[in-house]
Amino acid sequence: MEMKYVEDPKLNEKVAEIIEELKNEIISHFHPKLIILSGSFGRGEATVIEENGKLKFLSDCEILLAPYKWIFSRKKLDEFEQNFYRRTGLKVEIWGLFPCALTCAKPTIANYDLKHGSKILYGKNYLEKILDFKPEDIPLWEGIRLMLNRMAEALEYFSLENPATEMIFWTDKIVIACQDALLLSIGKYHSLLRKRSDLFVEYSSIFRKIHPKILEIVRRAVKRKLSGKTDHYYIDEAISYWYETSEIADKVFRYLIKKYWGIEFRDYLDFHIKYLKKVMHPFLVPQNFIKYLKLLMLYKLNNPLPLKSLKSRAPFEHLIYSIIPLAYFDLCGKSDVSEKHLNCVHKILAYFGVNYEPNPRKCVKEIVRLWKIIFAPIKMREARL
């Protein structure tokens, strides 16, 4: 029986051939004990389109490997990913997994999706070892964190001059993150996007109070994500769609922050201040020092952060999270950027060795770069559960 990776049966046949090729090459190169296909490909909901007879992958392919004997070399994994992308156009992200850690998996979105929305490509079904926690066990912070991560990812594809299919795709991802976070706020979730969409409609009377257009905009985003058919005429309206989405995301984000922390804020500079007060860690110096060491090991002693970053009075992750909304809502493409907001972002970036005259585009670019650096170890940890 052929596995399902995308909704379109004809495209699925072509995608299945590439996934099979990927599996065989991984086995040949790394001799793993286990290969798990997670993410949208694992759920059978990847977004792939065909242009001029050639597949274009908008979704990344997430792979988890359990070592048979030796721990995998990150350098070799990176080289393999890059080589496979050059040949096939499929961006693969491979992370290590220790099956023994599955029994103590925390109730997160990633772990829930791993258990209920992944495929075993090779080896035993170790996913059965993950505790069968319920959607209501997943904390609301997971939804807030999902929205912050989607904002950071989408910022990389924002363009006033050259809006493209990828920009619409990532704007849709923010819309879907709003949906998922709101479902978590009432203790509902499902690993399949189509099922989450049905749940969202079922409880739409609650969510319409947040924004009257939210149901319709979520419906369109889910339809595009599942079909892979981005409306080409809509590319011309990608900018207006981005700002329409940011208006809804603002309402959702404020609603979630108030529900989770009881925080209300005037603007995203006020959010930045109040957020950092909430997440300040009593053992801050050791926490950031441990993070610093992890980055050294991950980047093979070629540290991407300067020593001065250790002077920060807040955890690295939360420093970046605190300014992502400033970038997404206030700096992104707007001509009337508040000087106070811009200086705040620049001050945080200075902790990480970024020094130049405050400029909205440069600040956004640096936020995305630092987000990738700082959250790489977290992605690795989540992959290992």
Coordinates of all heavy atoms in Angstrom, one line a residue, residues 37-118:
L37 N 9.5 9.7 9.6 CA 9.1 10.8 8.8 C 8.0 11.6 9.5 O 6.9 11.1 9.8 CB 8.5 10.4 7.4 CG 8.0 11.5 6.4 CD1 9.2 12.4 6.0 CD2 7.3 10.9 5.2
S38 N 8.3 12.8 10.0 CA 7.4 13.6 10.7 C 7.0 14.9 10.0 O 7.2 15.0 8.8 CB 8.0 14.0 12.1 OG 9.2 14.8 11.9
G39 N 6.3 15.8 10.6 CA 5.9 17.0 10.0 C 4.8 16.8 9.0 O 4.1 15.8 9.1
S40 N 4.6 17.7 8.1 CA 3.5 17.6 7.1 C 3.6 16.4 6.2 O 2.6 15.9 5.8 CB 3.4 18.9 6.3 OG 4.6 19.2 5.6
F41 N 4.8 16.0 5.8 CA 4.9 14.8 5.0 C 4.5 13.6 5.8 O 3.9 12.7 5.2 CB 6.4 14.6 4.5 CG 6.7 15.5 3.3 CD1 7.3 16.7 3.5 CD2 6.5 15.0 2.0 CE1 7.6 17.5 2.4 CE2 6.8 15.8 0.9 CZ 7.4 17.0 1.1
G42 N 4.8 13.5 7.1 CA 4.4 12.4 7.9 C 2.9 12.3 8.1 O 2.4 11.2 8.2
R43 N 2.3 13.5 8.1 CA 0.8 13.5 8.3 C 0.1 13.3 6.9 O -1.1 13.2 6.9 CB 0.4 14.8 8.9 CG 0.9 15.1 10.3 CD 0.3 16.3 10.9 NE 0.5 17.5 10.1 CZ 1.5 18.3 10.3 NH1 2.5 18.0 11.2 NH2 1.7 19.4 9.5
G44 N 0.8 13.3 5.8 CA 0.2 13.2 4.5 C -0.4 14.5 4.1 O -1.4 14.6 3.3
E45 N 0.1 15.7 4.6 CA -0.5 17.0 4.3 C 0.5 18.0 3.8 O 0.4 19.2 3.9 CB -1.1 17.6 5.6 CG -2.3 16.7 6.1 CD -2.9 17.3 7.4 OE1 -2.2 18.0 8.1 OE2 -4.1 17.0 7.7
A46 N 1.6 17.5 3.2 CA 2.6 18.3 2.6 C 2.1 19.2 1.5 O 1.2 18.8 0.8 CB 3.8 17.5 2.2
T47 N 2.7 20.4 1.3 CA 2.3 21.3 0.2 C 3.3 21.2 -0.9 O 4.5 21.6 -0.7 CB 2.2 22.7 0.7 OG1 1.3 22.8 1.8 CG2 1.7 23.6 -0.4
V48 N 2.9 20.6 -2.0 CA 3.8 20.4 -3.2 C 3.0 20.8 -4.4 O 1.8 20.5 -4.5 CB 4.2 18.9 -3.3 CG1 5.2 18.8 -4.5 CG2 4.9 18.4 -2.0
I49 N 3.6 21.6 -5.3 CA 2.9 22.0 -6.5 C 3.8 21.6 -7.7 O 5.0 21.3 -7.5 CB 2.7 23.5 -6.5 CG1 4.0 24.3 -6.4 CG2 1.7 23.9 -5.5 CD1 3.8 25.8 -6.5
E50 N 3.2 21.5 -8.8 CA 3.9 21.1 -10.0 C 3.9 22.3 -11.0 O 2.9 22.8 -11.4 CB 3.2 19.9 -10.7 CG 4.1 19.3 -11.8 CD 3.5 17.9 -12.2 OE1 2.4 17.7 -12.0 OE2 4.3 17.2 -12.8
E51 N 5.1 22.7 -11.4 CA 5.3 23.8 -12.3 C 6.1 23.4 -13.5 O 7.3 23.0 -13.3 CB 6.0 25.0 -11.6 CG 5.1 25.7 -10.5 CD 5.8 26.9 -9.9 OE1 7.0 27.1 -10.1 OE2 5.1 27.7 -9.2
N52 N 5.6 23.5 -14.7 CA 6.2 23.0 -15.9 C 6.8 21.6 -15.8 O 7.9 21.3 -16.2 CB 7.4 24.0 -16.2 CG 6.9 25.4 -16.4 OD1 5.9 25.7 -17.0 ND2 7.7 26.4 -15.8
G53 N 5.9 20.8 -15.2 CA 6.3 19.3 -15.1 C 7.3 19.0 -14.0 O 7.7 17.9 -13.9
K54 N 7.6 20.0 -13.2 CA 8.6 19.8 -12.2 C 8.0 20.1 -10.8 O 7.3 21.0 -10.6 CB 9.8 20.7 -12.4 CG 11.0 20.4 -11.5 CD 12.2 21.3 -11.9 CE 13.4 21.0 -11.0 NZ 14.6 21.9 -11.3
L55 N 8.3 19.2 -9.8 CA 7.8 19.4 -8.5 C 8.5 20.6 -7.8 O 9.7 20.7 -7.9 CB 8.0 18.1 -7.7 CG 7.3 16.9 -8.1 CD1 7.5 15.7 -7.2 CD2 5.8 17.1 -8.2
K56 N 7.7 21.3 -7.1 CA 8.2 22.4 -6.3 C 7.7 22.2 -4.8 O 6.5 22.2 -4.6 CB 7.7 23.8 -6.8 CG 8.2 25.0 -5.9 CD 7.8 26.3 -6.5 CE 8.4 27.5 -5.8 NZ 8.0 28.8 -6.3
F57 N 8.6 22.0 -3.9 CA 8.2 21.6 -2.5 C 8.2 22.9 -1.7 O 9.2 23.6 -1.5 CB 9.3 20.7 -2.0 CG 9.4 19.4 -2.7 CD1 10.3 19.2 -3.7 CD2 8.5 18.3 -2.4 CE1 10.4 18.0 -4.4 CE2 8.6 17.1 -3.0 CZ 9.5 16.9 -4.0
L58 N 7.0 23.2 -1.2 CA 6.8 24.4 -0.3 C 7.0 23.9 1.2 O 7.3 24.7 2.0 CB 5.5 25.0 -0.5 CG 5.3 25.6 -1.9 CD1 3.9 26.3 -2.0 CD2 6.3 26.7 -2.2
S59 N 6.7 22.6 1.4 CA 6.9 22.1 2.8 C 8.3 21.5 2.9 O 8.8 20.9 1.9 CB 5.9 21.0 3.1 OG 4.6 21.5 3.1
D60 N 8.9 21.6 4.1 CA 10.2 20.9 4.3 C 9.9 19.4 4.8 O 8.8 19.1 5.2 CB 10.9 21.6 5.5 CG 11.4 23.0 5.1 OD1 11.4 23.3 3.9 OD2 11.7 23.7 6.0
C61 N 10.9 18.6 4.6 CA 10.7 17.2 4.9 C 11.5 16.9 6.2 O 12.8 17.1 6.2 CB 11.3 16.3 3.8 SG 11.1 14.5 4.1
E62 N 10.8 16.6 7.3 CA 11.5 16.4 8.6 C 11.7 14.9 8.9 O 10.7 14.1 8.9 CB 10.6 17.1 9.7 CG 10.4 18.6 9.5 CD 9.3 19.2 10.3 OE1 9.2 18.7 11.5 OE2 8.7 20.1 9.9
I63 N 12.9 14.6 9.2 CA 13.3 13.2 9.4 C 14.0 13.1 10.8 O 14.8 13.9 11.1 CB 14.3 12.7 8.3 CG1 13.7 12.7 6.9 CG2 14.9 11.4 8.7 CD1 12.7 11.6 6.7
L64 N 13.6 12.0 11.5 CA 14.2 11.7 12.8 C 14.9 10.3 12.6 O 14.3 9.4 12.1 CB 13.2 11.6 13.9 CG 12.4 12.9 14.1 CD1 11.4 12.6 15.3 CD2 13.2 14.0 14.5
L65 N 16.2 10.3 13.0 CA 17.0 9.1 12.9 C 17.4 8.6 14.3 O 17.9 9.4 15.1 CB 18.2 9.3 12.1 CG 18.1 9.7 10.6 CD1 19.5 9.8 10.0 CD2 17.2 8.8 9.9
A66 N 17.3 7.3 14.6 CA 17.9 6.7 15.8 C 19.2 6.0 15.4 O 19.1 5.2 14.4 CB 16.9 5.8 16.4
P67 N 20.3 6.3 16.0 CA 21.5 5.7 15.6 C 21.6 4.2 16.0 O 21.0 3.8 17.0 CB 22.6 6.4 16.4 CG 21.8 7.0 17.6 CD 20.5 7.2 17.1
Y68 N 22.2 3.4 15.2 CA 22.3 1.9 15.5 C 23.5 1.7 16.4 O 23.4 1.0 17.4 CB 22.6 1.2 14.2 CG 22.7 -0.3 14.4 CD1 21.5 -1.1 14.7 CD2 23.9 -1.0 14.3 CE1 21.6 -2.4 14.9 CE2 24.0 -2.4 14.5 CZ 22.8 -3.1 14.8 OH 22.9 -4.4 15.1
K69 N 24.6 2.4 16.2 CA 25.8 2.3 17.1 C 26.3 3.6 17.5 O 26.4 4.0 18.6 CB 26.9 1.4 16.4 CG 26.5 -0.1 16.3 CD 27.7 -0.9 15.8 CE 27.4 -2.3 15.7 NZ 28.5 -3.1 15.1
W70 N 26.7 4.4 16.4 CA 27.4 5.7 16.7 C 26.5 6.9 16.5 O 25.6 6.8 15.7 CB 28.6 5.8 15.8 CG 29.4 4.6 15.7 CD1 29.6 3.7 14.7 CD2 30.3 4.1 16.8 NE1 30.5 2.7 15.0 CE2 30.9 2.9 16.3 CE3 30.5 4.5 18.1 CZ2 31.8 2.1 17.0 CZ3 31.4 3.7 18.8 CH2 32.0 2.6 18.3
I71 N 26.7 7.9 17.3 CA 25.9 9.2 17.1 C 26.3 9.8 15.8 O 27.5 9.8 15.4 CB 26.2 10.1 18.3 CG1 25.8 9.5 19.6 CG2 25.6 11.5 18.0 CD1 26.1 10.4 20.8
F72 N 25.3 10.3 15.1 CA 25.6 10.9 13.7 C 26.4 12.1 13.8 O 26.3 12.9 14.7 CB 24.2 11.2 13.1 CG 23.3 10.0 13.0 CD1 22.1 10.0 13.7 CD2 23.6 8.9 12.2 CE1 21.3 8.9 13.6 CE2 22.8 7.8 12.1 CZ 21.6 7.8 12.9
S73 N 27.2 12.4 12.7 CA 28.0 13.6 12.6 C 27.1 14.7 12.0 O 26.5 14.5 10.9 CB 29.1 13.3 11.7 OG 29.7 14.6 11.2
R74 N 26.9 15.8 12.7 CA 26.1 16.9 12.2 C 26.6 17.4 10.9 O 25.8 17.8 10.0 CB 26.1 18.0 13.3 CG 25.2 19.2 13.0 CD 23.7 18.8 13.1 NE 23.1 18.7 11.8 CZ 21.9 18.2 11.6 NH1 21.2 17.8 12.6 NH2 21.4 18.1 10.4
K75 N 27.9 17.4 10.7 CA 28.5 17.9 9.5 C 28.1 17.0 8.3 O 27.7 17.5 7.3 CB 30.0 18.0 9.6 CG 30.7 18.5 8.4 CD 32.2 18.5 8.5 CE 32.9 19.0 7.2 NZ 34.4 19.0 7.4
K76 N 28.1 15.7 8.5 CA 27.7 14.8 7.5 C 26.2 14.9 7.2 O 25.8 14.8 6.0 CB 28.1 13.4 7.8 CG 29.6 13.1 7.8 CD 30.0 11.7 8.1 CE 31.5 11.5 8.1 NZ 31.9 10.1 8.4
L77 N 25.4 15.1 8.2 CA 24.0 15.2 8.0 C 23.7 16.5 7.2 O 22.9 16.5 6.2 CB 23.3 15.3 9.3 CG 23.2 14.0 10.1 CD1 22.5 14.3 11.5 CD2 22.4 12.9 9.4
D78 N 24.4 17.6 7.5 CA 24.2 18.8 6.8 C 24.6 18.7 5.3 O 23.9 19.2 4.4 CB 25.0 20.0 7.4 CG 24.5 20.4 8.8 OD1 23.3 20.1 9.0 OD2 25.2 21.0 9.5
E79 N 25.7 18.0 5.1 CA 26.2 17.8 3.7 C 25.2 16.9 2.9 O 24.9 17.2 1.7 CB 27.6 17.1 3.7 CG 28.7 18.0 4.2 CD 30.0 17.3 4.3 OE1 30.0 16.0 4.2 OE2 31.1 18.0 4.6
F80 N 24.7 15.9 3.6 CA 23.7 15.1 2.9 C 22.4 15.9 2.6 O 21.9 15.8 1.4 CB 23.3 13.9 3.8 CG 22.2 13.0 3.3 CD1 22.6 11.9 2.4 CD2 20.9 13.2 3.6 CE1 21.6 11.1 1.9 CE2 19.9 12.4 3.0 CZ 20.2 11.3 2.2
E81 N 21.9 16.7 3.5 CA 20.8 17.5 3.3 C 21.0 18.4 2.1 O 20.1 18.5 1.2 CB 20.4 18.3 4.5 CG 20.0 17.5 5.7 CD 19.9 18.4 7.0 OE1 20.2 19.6 6.9 OE2 19.4 17.9 8.0
Q82 N 22.1 19.1 2.0 CA 22.4 20.0 0.9 C 22.5 19.3 -0.4 O 22.0 19.8 -1.4 CB 23.7 20.8 1.2 CG 23.6 21.7 2.5 CD 24.9 22.2 3.0 OE1 26.0 22.0 2.3 NE2 24.9 22.8 4.2
N83 N 23.1 18.2 -0.4 CA 23.3 17.4 -1.7 C 21.9 17.0 -2.2 O 21.6 17.0 -3.4 CB 24.2 16.3 -1.4 CG 24.5 15.5 -2.7 OD1 23.9 14.4 -2.9 ND2 25.4 15.9 -3.5
F84 N 21.1 16.5 -1.3 CA 19.8 16.0 -1.7 C 18.9 17.1 -2.2 O 18.1 16.9 -3.2 CB 19.1 15.2 -0.5 CG 17.9 14.4 -0.9 CD1 18.2 13.1 -1.4 CD2 16.6 14.8 -0.9 CE1 17.1 12.3 -1.8 CE2 15.6 14.0 -1.3 CZ 15.8 12.7 -1.7
Y85 N 19.0 18.3 -1.6 CA 18.2 19.4 -2.0 C 18.7 19.9 -3.4 O 17.8 20.2 -4.3 CB 18.4 20.6 -1.0 CG 17.8 21.9 -1.5 CD1 16.4 22.0 -1.4 CD2 18.5 22.9 -2.0 CE1 15.8 23.2 -1.8 CE2 17.9 24.1 -2.4 CZ 16.5 24.2 -2.3 OH 15.9 25.4 -2.7
R86 N 20.0 19.9 -3.7 CA 20.4 20.3 -5.0 C 19.9 19.3 -6.1 O 19.6 19.8 -7.2 CB 22.0 20.3 -5.0 CG 22.6 21.5 -4.4 CD 24.1 21.6 -4.7 NE 24.8 20.5 -4.2 CZ 25.4 20.5 -3.0 NH1 25.4 21.5 -2.2 NH2 26.1 19.4 -2.6
R87 N 19.8 18.1 -5.8 CA 19.4 17.1 -6.8 C 17.9 17.0 -7.0 O 17.4 16.7 -8.1 CB 20.0 15.7 -6.4 CG 21.5 15.6 -6.6 CD 22.0 14.2 -6.4 NE 21.9 13.7 -5.0 CZ 21.0 12.8 -4.6 NH1 20.1 12.3 -5.4 NH2 20.9 12.4 -3.3
T88 N 17.1 17.2 -5.9 CA 15.7 16.9 -6.0 C 14.8 18.2 -5.7 O 13.6 18.2 -6.1 CB 15.3 15.9 -4.9 OG1 15.5 16.4 -3.6 CG2 16.1 14.6 -5.1
G89 N 15.4 19.2 -5.1 CA 14.6 20.4 -4.8 C 13.8 20.2 -3.4 O 13.1 21.1 -3.0
L90 N 14.0 19.1 -2.8 CA 13.3 18.8 -1.5 C 14.3 19.2 -0.3 O 15.4 18.6 -0.2 CB 12.9 17.4 -1.4 CG 12.3 16.9 -0.1 CD1 11.0 17.7 0.2 CD2 12.0 15.4 0.0
K91 N 13.8 20.1 0.5 CA 14.6 20.5 1.6 C 14.4 19.6 2.8 O 13.2 19.5 3.3 CB 14.3 22.0 2.1 CG 15.1 22.5 3.2 CD 14.8 23.9 3.6 CE 15.6 24.4 4.7 NZ 15.2 25.8 5.2
V92 N 15.4 18.9 3.2 CA 15.3 17.8 4.2 C 16.0 18.4 5.5 O 17.1 18.9 5.5 CB 16.0 16.5 3.8 CG1 15.8 15.5 4.9 CG2 15.4 16.0 2.5
E93 N 15.3 18.2 6.6 CA 15.9 18.5 7.9 C 16.0 17.2 8.7 O 14.9 16.6 9.0 CB 15.0 19.5 8.7 CG 15.0 20.9 8.1 CD 14.3 21.9 8.9 OE1 13.8 21.5 10.0 OE2 14.4 23.1 8.6
I94 N 17.2 16.8 9.1 CA 17.4 15.5 9.8 C 17.9 15.8 11.2 O 18.9 16.5 11.4 CB 18.4 14.6 9.0 CG1 18.0 14.4 7.6 CG2 18.6 13.3 9.7 CD1 19.0 13.6 6.7
W95 N 17.3 15.1 12.2 CA 17.7 15.3 13.5 C 17.8 13.9 14.2 O 17.2 12.9 13.8 CB 16.7 16.1 14.3 CG 16.5 17.5 13.8 CD1 15.5 17.9 12.9 CD2 17.3 18.6 13.9 NE1 15.7 19.2 12.6 CE2 16.8 19.7 13.2 CE3 18.5 18.8 14.7 CZ2 17.4 20.9 13.2 CZ3 19.1 20.1 14.7 CH2 18.5 21.1 13.9
G96 N 18.7 13.8 15.2 CA 18.9 12.6 15.9 C 17.8 12.3 16.9 O 17.2 13.2 17.5
L97 N 17.5 11.1 17.2 CA 16.5 10.6 18.2 C 17.0 9.4 18.9 O 17.5 8.5 18.4 CB 15.2 10.3 17.4 CG 14.1 9.6 18.2 CD1 13.4 10.6 19.2 CD2 13.1 8.9 17.3
F98 N 16.9 9.5 20.3 CA 17.2 8.3 21.1 C 15.9 7.7 21.6 O 15.1 8.3 22.4 CB 18.0 8.8 22.3 CG 19.4 9.3 21.9 CD1 19.7 10.6 22.0 CD2 20.4 8.4 21.5 CE1 20.9 11.1 21.6 CE2 21.6 8.9 21.1 CZ 21.9 10.2 21.2
P99 N 15.5 6.5 21.1 CA 14.3 5.9 21.4 C 14.0 5.8 22.9 O 12.8 5.8 23.3 CB 14.4 4.5 20.7 CG 15.4 4.7 19.6 CD 16.3 5.7 20.1
C100 N 15.0 5.6 23.7 CA 14.8 5.5 25.2 C 14.1 6.7 25.7 O 13.5 6.7 26.8 CB 16.1 5.2 25.9 SG 17.4 6.5 25.7
A101 N 14.2 7.9 25.0 CA 13.7 9.1 25.6 C 12.2 9.2 25.3 O 11.5 10.1 25.8 CB 14.4 10.3 24.9
L102 N 11.6 8.3 24.4 CA 10.2 8.4 24.0 C 9.3 8.2 25.2 O 8.2 8.8 25.2 CB 9.9 7.4 22.9 CG 10.6 7.6 21.6 CD1 10.5 6.4 20.7 CD2 10.0 8.8 20.9
T103 N 9.7 7.4 26.2 CA 8.8 7.1 27.3 C 8.6 8.3 28.2 O 7.6 8.3 29.0 CB 9.4 6.0 28.2 OG1 10.7 6.3 28.6 CG2 9.4 4.7 27.3
C104 N 9.4 9.3 28.2 CA 9.3 10.5 29.0 C 9.0 11.8 28.2 O 9.3 12.9 28.6 CB 10.5 10.7 29.9 SG 12.1 10.8 29.0
A105 N 8.3 11.6 27.1 CA 8.0 12.7 26.2 C 7.0 13.7 26.9 O 6.0 13.2 27.5 CB 7.4 12.3 24.9
K106 N 7.3 15.0 26.8 CA 6.4 16.0 27.5 C 5.2 16.2 26.6 O 5.3 16.0 25.4 CB 7.2 17.2 27.7 CG 8.3 17.1 28.7 CD 9.0 18.4 28.9 CE 10.2 18.3 30.0 NZ 10.9 19.5 30.2
P107 N 4.1 16.7 27.2 CA 2.9 17.0 26.3 C 3.1 18.3 25.6 O 2.8 19.4 26.0 CB 1.8 17.2 27.4 CG 2.5 17.6 28.6 CD 3.9 16.9 28.6
T108 N 3.7 18.2 24.4 CA 3.9 19.4 23.5 C 3.2 19.1 22.1 O 2.8 17.9 21.8 CB 5.4 19.6 23.2 OG1 5.9 18.5 22.5 CG2 6.1 19.8 24.5
I109 N 3.0 20.1 21.3 CA 2.5 19.9 20.0 C 3.4 19.0 19.2 O 2.9 18.0 18.5 CB 2.4 21.3 19.3 CG1 1.3 22.1 19.9 CG2 2.0 21.0 17.8 CD1 1.2 23.5 19.3
A110 N 4.7 19.2 19.3 CA 5.6 18.4 18.5 C 5.5 16.9 18.9 O 5.5 16.0 18.0 CB 7.1 18.9 18.8
N111 N 5.4 16.6 20.2 CA 5.4 15.2 20.6 C 4.0 14.6 20.3 O 3.9 13.4 20.0 CB 5.7 15.1 22.1 CG 7.1 15.4 22.4 OD1 8.0 15.3 21.5 ND2 7.4 15.8 23.6
Y112 N 3.0 15.3 20.4 CA 1.6 14.8 20.0 C 1.6 14.5 18.6 O 1.1 13.4 18.2 CB 0.6 15.9 20.4 CG -0.9 15.3 20.2 CD1 -1.5 14.7 21.3 CD2 -1.5 15.5 19.0 CE1 -2.8 14.2 21.1 CE2 -2.8 15.0 18.9 CZ -3.5 14.4 19.9 OH -4.7 13.9 19.8
D113 N 2.1 15.4 17.7 CA 2.1 15.2 16.3 C 3.0 14.0 15.9 O 2.8 13.3 15.0 CB 2.6 16.4 15.5 CG 1.5 17.5 15.5 OD1 0.3 17.2 15.9 OD2 1.8 18.6 15.1
L114 N 4.1 13.9 16.7 CA 5.1 12.8 16.4 C 4.4 11.4 16.6 O 4.6 10.5 15.8 CB 6.3 12.9 17.3 CG 7.4 11.9 17.2 CD1 8.0 11.9 15.7 CD2 8.5 12.1 18.2
K115 N 3.6 11.3 17.7 CA 3.0 10.0 18.0 C 1.8 9.8 17.0 O 1.7 8.6 16.5 CB 2.4 10.1 19.4 CG 1.7 8.7 19.8 CD 1.3 8.7 21.3 CE 0.7 7.4 21.7 NZ 1.6 6.2 21.6
H116 N 1.0 10.8 16.8 CA -0.2 10.6 16.0 C -0.1 11.0 14.5 O -1.1 10.6 13.8 CB -1.4 11.3 16.7 CG -1.7 10.9 18.1 ND1 -2.3 9.7 18.4 CD2 -1.4 11.5 19.2 CE1 -2.4 9.6 19.7 NE2 -1.9 10.7 20.3
G117 N 0.9 11.6 14.1 CA 1.0 12.1 12.8 C 2.3 11.9 12.1 O 2.8 12.8 11.3
S118 N 3.0 10.8 12.4 CA 4.3 10.5 11.8 C 4.2 9.1 11.1 O 3.3 8.3 11.4 CB 5.4 10.5 12.8 OG 5.5 11.8 13.3

